[in-house]
Amino acid sequence: MKKSVLLLICLICFICNSYGQRELPQNNPNYDMQSYHFGFILGYSQQKLNIRYSEFMNSSSSNYQQILSDYEPGFNVGIIMDLKIKDNYNIRVTPSFNFTDQKIYYNNGNYSVSQPQNSGLSNFELPIYLKYRSDRINNGRLYVLLGPKLSIDMSSFEKLSENENLEFKVRNYSIDIGFGVDIYFKYFKFAPEIKYSYGIINILENQYNEYDNYIKSLSTRTVLISLTFE
């Protein structure tokens, strides 16, 4: 995951350096005069759960030494609705679906037990971003994004044949921050982008069983690498 992030950052720096070297003919020079525009987004995500132990986990009667969550891969696809509010400021809404996993491993020192019931999640996501863009240089301009995001677990509406050991809340709220570079072509605009999503609520729905008694709270942490076409 770290290699992917570093590769994208290096790519963005290379693109910025290339476009800033000399004056080039501008592609689609009237693009930014539009008051609004649409597009679509494709992304690769890595998501994990931030785990806070309960007092019971820290007691001498606990059966486990650690409860862990690793970054799990996912796929993101959505549409872009972008509204210009000033020359360098836009409001951006990107309703999308994110297909990912959320697994938790209980480690007692000799082996780990995973909770596979929590995998295969289908989340509908609705972020609302304030986008600040630098001035355009040739056919590129840098930008940063910041805003809240609502996520709804669509898979939670399915009726399961067996009880889950852990259950997550249907709704999750997070704060996203990201950056990227707009690259102008003759008929469209393309941007590589990276965002970090910080979950701000506890998504654990208490079942008061052997597994969730060890956990005080769960919150999401997500890195999303995206390609946008507008």
Side-chain angles (χ1 to χ4, degrees):
M1 180 60 199
K2 292 181 179 179
K3 292 182 179 179
S4 300
V5 173
L6 289 174
L7 180 62
L8 181 64
I9 293 174
C10 291
L11 176 62
I12 291 174
C13 292
F14 174 76
I15 292 171
C16 295
N17 183 65
S18 299
Y19 280 114
Q21 290 297 314
R22 63 186 187 281
E23 290 292 331
L24 297 173
Q26 285 197 350
N27 295 325
N28 206 347
N30 298 322
Y31 185 94
D32 291 322
M33 297 178 66
Q34 303 175 87
S35 57
Y36 63 90
H37 65 266
F38 301 94
F40 66 94
I41 183 170
L42 300 173
Y44 169 78
S45 66
Q46 288 274 327
Q47 186 177 80
K48 68 173 293 186
L49 294 168
N50 184 61
I51 303 170
R52 294 182 61 191
Y53 296 158
S54 68
E55 294 181 0
F56 183 65
M57 175 66 181
N58 297 321
S59 68
S60 59
S61 59
S62 172
N63 295 326
Y64 302 103
Q65 293 182 359
Q66 290 180 304
I67 305 176
L68 306 172
S69 174
D70 294 328
Y71 277 103
E72 300 289 343
F75 176 72
N76 181 278
V77 59
I79 60 174
I80 297 169
M81 297 178 287
D82 195 285
L83 175 66
K84 179 180 177 181
I85 54 177
K86 291 184 69 175
D87 286 344
N88 293 83
Y89 293 90
N90 291 48
I91 294 294
R92 168 168 292 210
V93 182
T94 58
S96 57
F97 284 94
N98 189 34
F99 306 96
T100 186
D101 288 340
Q102 288 180 343
K103 296 180 180 178
I104 294 179
Y105 301 89
Y106 290 75
N107 190 327
N108 70 355
N110 298 317
Y111 63 91
S112 295
V113 178
S114 67
Q115 295 301 305
Q117 297 98 323
N118 302 314
S119 63
L121 298 182
S122 302
N123 291 325
F124 172 73
E125 300 181 341
L126 186 63
I128 302 175
Y129 298 130
L130 176 65
K131 178 180 179 180
Y132 171 76
R133 306 177 299 168
S134 68
D135 293 334
R136 179 170 174 173
I137 301 176
N138 296 324
N139 290 311
R141 64 194 305 175
L142 291 169
Y143 66 85
V144 293
L145 298 166
L146 177 66
K149 180 174 69 180
L150 164 67
S151 300
I152 300 176
D153 180 9
M154 306 301 292
S155 60
S156 66
F157 294 105
E158 299 177 2
K159 298 296 183 181
L160 301 179
S161 59
E162 59 180 353
N163 293 327
E164 294 179 329
N165 292 325
L166 288 176
E167 184 175 337
F168 300 137
K169 294 178 180 177
V170 175
R171 291 179 178 83
N172 184 27
Y173 299 93
S174 57
I175 298 296
D176 289 10
I177 185 170
F179 68 95
V181 55
D182 285 329
I183 305 169
Y184 294 80
F185 292 91
K186 187 174 181 180
Y187 297 110
F188 67 96
K189 185 177 68 173
F190 163 78
E193 177 182 286
I194 183 169
K195 296 192 293 285
Y196 180 73
S197 181
Y198 184 92
I200 58 176
I201 69 167
N202 175 21
I203 63 170
L204 179 64
E205 196 75 66
N206 286 326
Q207 301 297 313
Y208 302 102
N209 58 31
E210 176 189 358
Y211 293 97
D212 66 8
N213 282 342
Y214 293 101
I215 300 173
K216 182 177 182 180
S217 68
L218 294 174
S219 53
T220 54
R221 302 289 185 267
T222 308
V223 177
L224 178 63
I225 298 174
S226 305
L227 300 177
T228 71
F229 301 85
E230 304 172 52

